[in-house]
Amino acid sequence: MKKTHIPSLLAACLLVWSCSGPVAESTLRDVRSYIDEYPDSALAVLDTIPEGNLRGKKAEAEFALLYSMALDKNYIDMTDDSLINVAVRWYRRHGSADDRLKAWYYQGRVYQNAGDNERAMESFTRAERYVKRSGDCTTSGMLYSAKSRVYDYLFDIEKSSANLRRASEYYQLAKDTARYTGSILKLAGSSIVAEKMAEASAYLDTLGKYWDALSESKKSSCYSYMLELALIENRDTLAPIADSYISDIQDSSAINWITLAHVYLETGEYDKGLDALDAYRKTDTAYLADNAYLWLFSELSAEKGQYETAYQALHRYVSVTDETDVDIFESDAKFTEDRMLARYKLQNRNLWITIMLLGIISLISSGLLLYAKLQEKIRQKQQEKERLEREKHEIETEMESYRKLYEQAQEEKKNLLRIRQDQKLDKKIRESIEERLDVLNRFITAAISKNLISSATDALDDYLRDKERFIYSTRLSFIIMHPKFISYLKKSGLTENEIGYCCLYCIGMNGNEIAAYLKRKSFYNTSSTIRKKLGLEEYKTNLDIFLRGKMTELD
């Protein structure tokens, strides 16, 4: 809850009737002194200052900056940059490092509110030039936190985490415990997503030192992350952590019921899992659009033998997943901070250097110009030759890949035809077999008709686009065709997802191909986890060779 600065607010009300220029400027100085602690009062006071009473561009700039700060601190998202630009134009050449830092930062926040992340990052990069000269550690921390959110939007976990770490350092210097613990909590979450479990555990240990100062929602997030770590590293601790979670967090709406449902699915407590999802439905009316909810509900229902319900949830999950827009990687928002920094350095070179360069350029003879043009033509021809060689290599590599796929498709088709003859097969398993046979037949037909590149990819694209469904289907096929191998993986403690990845190795993919298919660089950490569970020493043998050999041995 925000505090109200009563004396300043009463004084501001009196100023409505007689607010001269000097008095208005005095009020701005007063507002600056308490805007961080009493942002609602600051906004109320600023609203009482008539625009005509601000004398000179300096006063107008200070008012624009303070008003933009007050709006942001009161969670009022401005998307129009006309006000903050008044401050930016003045502080570009005047004011302290603190003023310049804030002007560019709050301009970036306006663009971020408007969804223009590239312009936001340009402003944040300009603001960052004043961080070392500024003594405002809190605003510096807020700057790096805002940059982190931009990289979150672009799914660049490494750069997002790097900026969060810098934000936490400045918050700690500012002794801003709330923001510091918030940034550490985000770092813990990012580390788990990147599968850097040791880092995540260290961040959670740090938060434990501030436990009494944490809000209910932050404590809930800590418990959620502890459960995710336990799922991977020490499942024996799942039950006590889950029990403490539910007992310690009094507000049920603050509990991450999705994480708890996942825990109960993994520990075999299916009734508790369904109860957790029921609690989740009460806190989020949009649960039918939540992929995680739909997948968990399908899995838990299936484990309880409620196959019709499970099928309906899975069908809904596929529909929601297909509607998800993942084109952000092709968005115009793709940019790099390095590119912008280079541009700013070029723009800010000293005038005498520019004059010197112009003088040198004017002395270049026509002969040198002709030589440069000749060199450019040679360079272009060389680049064109290299491009053609790359394209040729890519085509040869792609055709070799399709040849291997054809051989694997023939073998899998033979096995599936044999299995399909079993009249006792479950309906869902039979449907899965028929679906895979259809894709395999189209692929083999395309290869025979020499139309492999166009027809085969058309047939496979739809089937492979939904990665979760493809891995699920592949795992199901292996359960049927290689039950002893799947049993071996389960006894080794592998999760369903990890078993699915092992199946991808066994159908002929290597680690690089799997990582490229999943679009997850962090898959290599998962591969390392699988090796540990199977008792394989690092670098002693390739995981794909070991898995295929083990499958052949058990068959």
Side-chain angles (χ1 to χ4, degrees):
M1 180 179 294
K2 302 183 186 69
K3 302 176 184 178
T4 301
H5 195 69
I6 300 298
S8 295
L9 184 55
L10 292 174
C13 292
L14 295 175
L15 288 173
V16 174
W17 301 101
S18 58
C19 191
S20 63
V23 176
E25 293 169 15
S26 174
T27 302
L28 292 179
R29 287 194 295 272
D30 189 30
V31 167
R32 184 186 284 267
S33 69
Y34 61 79
I35 190 170
D36 291 326
E37 190 173 3
Y38 305 102
D40 53 346
S41 297
L43 183 59
V45 170
L46 291 171
D47 278 331
T48 67
I49 301 177
E51 184 177 352
N53 285 21
L54 297 169
R55 295 182 179 179
K57 295 187 179 299
K58 179 180 179 181
E60 292 174 356
E62 185 171 11
F63 175 84
L65 177 58
L66 289 172
Y67 201 88
S68 298
M69 292 172 60
L71 289 172
D72 188 74
K73 292 177 184 296
N74 281 282
Y75 309 105
I76 301 173
D77 294 339
M78 285 288 291
T79 57
D80 183 349
D81 64 357
S82 58
L83 178 65
I84 188 60
N85 284 348
V86 173
V88 169
R89 282 193 293 270
W90 172 260
Y91 291 118
R92 182 185 282 115
R93 298 183 182 278
H94 306 86
S96 66
D98 285 359
D99 292 330
R100 296 180 179 189
L101 167 65
K102 289 174 181 174
W104 288 115
Y105 166 71
Y106 283 101
Q107 184 190 58
R109 289 289 297 124
V110 170
Y111 294 141
Q112 201 168 34
N113 292 336
D116 191 342
N117 283 295
E118 183 160 7
R119 292 183 73 187
M121 187 60 88
E122 289 179 5
S123 298
F124 293 151
T125 303
R126 289 177 183 270
E128 191 173 3
R129 291 180 295 174
Y130 301 102
V131 166
K132 290 184 179 179
R133 286 184 278 162
S134 170
D136 189 344
C137 293
T138 296
T139 301
S140 297
M142 291 162 62
L143 168 65
Y144 288 112
S145 181
K147 286 181 63 182
S148 171
R149 289 196 293 275
V150 175
Y151 285 118
D152 275 341
Y153 177 79
L154 297 174
F155 296 102
D156 191 331
I157 297 176
E158 290 300 322
K159 287 187 177 180
S160 173
S161 297
N163 279 279
L164 267 179
R165 282 191 289 272
R166 296 200 70 179
S168 67
E169 291 168 3
Y170 279 103
Y171 289 146
Q172 193 170 32
L173 287 173
K175 298 182 179 179
D176 190 335
T177 302
R179 288 191 173 96
Y180 173 70
T181 55
S183 60
I184 295 297
L185 188 60
K186 290 178 183 177
L187 281 167
S190 297
S191 298
I192 290 175
V193 171
E195 299 183 358
K196 297 179 179 179
M197 302 308 170
E199 287 186 12
S201 181
Y203 287 129
L204 290 174
D205 288 342
T206 298
L207 288 169
K209 300 173 184 177
Y210 296 87
W211 189 258
D212 292 339
L214 297 182
S215 65
E216 189 96 326
S217 61
K218 286 182 181 177
K219 290 179 180 179
S220 175
S221 295
C222 286
Y223 273 118
S224 182
Y225 293 153
M226 284 190 283
L227 287 171
E228 292 186 43
L229 280 175
L231 278 169
I232 297 171
E233 297 189 330
N234 187 2
R235 295 194 169 211
D236 292 339
T237 63
L238 283 172
I241 294 174
D243 291 342
S244 296
Y245 189 179
I246 295 173
S247 63
D248 286 358
I249 305 303
Q250 302 301 313
D251 183 3
S252 62
S253 64
I255 294 176
N256 189 331
W257 294 108
I258 291 294
T259 297
L260 281 171
H262 186 198
V263 168
Y264 293 136
L265 172 64
E266 296 294 334
T267 57
E269 299 175 274
Y270 307 126
D271 288 328
K272 285 188 176 181
L274 290 171
D275 289 342
L277 291 182
D278 183 56
Y280 175 69
R281 288 193 293 270
K282 295 175 182 178
T283 61
D284 191 342
T285 57
Y287 61 89
L288 288 178
D290 188 330
N291 288 352
Y293 165 81
L294 293 169
W295 176 77
L296 286 167
F297 189 61
S298 173
E299 292 288 319
L300 287 165
S301 297
E303 295 292 351
K304 291 289 293 179
Q306 301 166 3
Y307 298 113
E308 183 64 27
T309 302
Y311 174 76
Q312 291 175 357
L314 181 61
H315 180 72
R316 176 77 184 182
Y317 167 80
V318 172
S319 299
V320 171
T321 303
D322 287 344
E323 293 170 1
T324 302
D325 180 15
V326 292
D327 290 336
I328 189 169
F329 295 103
E330 300 173 3
S331 162
D332 290 338
K334 283 185 175 180
F335 58 88
T336 63
E337 189 176 350
D338 294 337
R339 172 170 61 83
M340 289 183 293
L341 286 170
R343 188 171 72 197
Y344 297 143
K345 289 177 180 178
L346 180 63
Q347 292 173 344
N348 289 301
R349 283 180 178 176
N350 293 328
L351 181 60
W352 70 269
I353 296 179
T354 304
I355 295 172
M356 182 184 296
L357 289 174
L358 289 173
I360 293 172
I361 292 172
S362 68
L363 296 175
I364 296 175
S365 66
S366 59
L368 289 175
L369 289 173
L370 289 174
Y371 176 76
K373 289 181 180 179
L374 179 61
Q375 289 292 99
E376 178 64 18
K377 287 183 179 179
I378 294 172
R379 187 181 64 82
Q380 289 176 352
K381 287 183 179 180
Q382 181 64 28
Q383 288 179 339
E384 178 66 14
K385 180 182 177 181
E386 292 174 355
R387 184 184 65 81
L388 292 173
E389 289 177 351
R390 284 197 304 271
E391 290 181 355
K392 178 182 177 182
H393 177 71
E394 289 172 358
I395 291 172
E396 291 175 350
T397 302
E398 187 174 10
M399 291 305 297
E400 175 62 18
S401 175
Y402 279 122
R403 185 189 65 76
K404 292 180 180 179
L405 282 173
Y406 174 77
E407 294 174 355
Q408 294 168 3
Q410 287 278 33
E411 180 65 24
E412 183 172 6
K413 178 182 176 181
K414 181 172 66 177
N415 290 330
L416 290 175
L417 287 173
R418 174 176 53 80
I419 295 168
R420 190 176 64 175
Q421 296 175 0
D422 185 354
Q423 299 300 318
K424 297 179 181 180
L425 281 179
D426 179 86
K427 179 181 178 183
K428 291 182 181 178
I429 296 176
R430 185 176 294 279
E431 289 175 352
S432 178
I433 291 174
E434 295 295 340
E435 183 180 24
R436 289 176 75 91
L437 276 172
D438 178 63
V439 174
L440 292 170
N441 284 332
R442 291 167 67 186
F443 186 86
I444 293 169
T445 300
I448 294 172
S449 66
K450 307 301 182 184
N451 194 23
L452 184 60
I453 298 297
S454 60
S455 299
T457 52
D458 289 341
L460 287 173
D461 276 349
D462 289 339
Y463 193 66
L464 297 178
R465 188 175 293 112
D466 186 339
K467 300 176 181 60
E468 295 292 341
R469 187 174 69 172
F470 174 69
I471 294 173
Y472 176 82
S473 175
T474 302
R475 178 164 53 86
L476 185 62
S477 298
F478 269 68
I479 291 173
I480 299 168
M481 293 188 289
H482 309 287
K484 293 181 179 179
F485 176 64
I486 297 299
S487 177
Y488 161 74
L489 295 179
K490 287 185 176 180
K491 289 178 180 178
S492 298
L494 272 66
T495 65
E496 295 298 329
N497 278 342
E498 291 167 348
I499 291 173
Y501 299 153
C502 289
C503 293
L504 294 182
Y505 276 115
C506 289
I507 66 174
M509 298 175 75
N510 59 37
N512 290 336
E513 291 168 342
I514 296 173
Y517 174 60
L518 299 175
K519 293 183 179 178
R520 289 178 55 200
K521 294 182 181 179
S522 60
F523 171 76
Y524 300 110
N525 293 327
T526 302
S527 176
S528 177
T529 300
I530 293 174
R531 295 179 68 91
K532 290 179 182 177
K533 291 183 178 180
L534 296 178
L536 295 179
E537 294 182 14
E538 196 72 25
Y539 307 119
K540 187 173 184 180
T541 182
N542 291 337
L543 182 56
D544 53 346
I545 295 174
F546 171 80
L547 289 170
R548 291 173 201 143
K550 177 62 70 172
M551 182 177 69
T552 302
E553 174 191 330
L554 294 174
D555 285 346

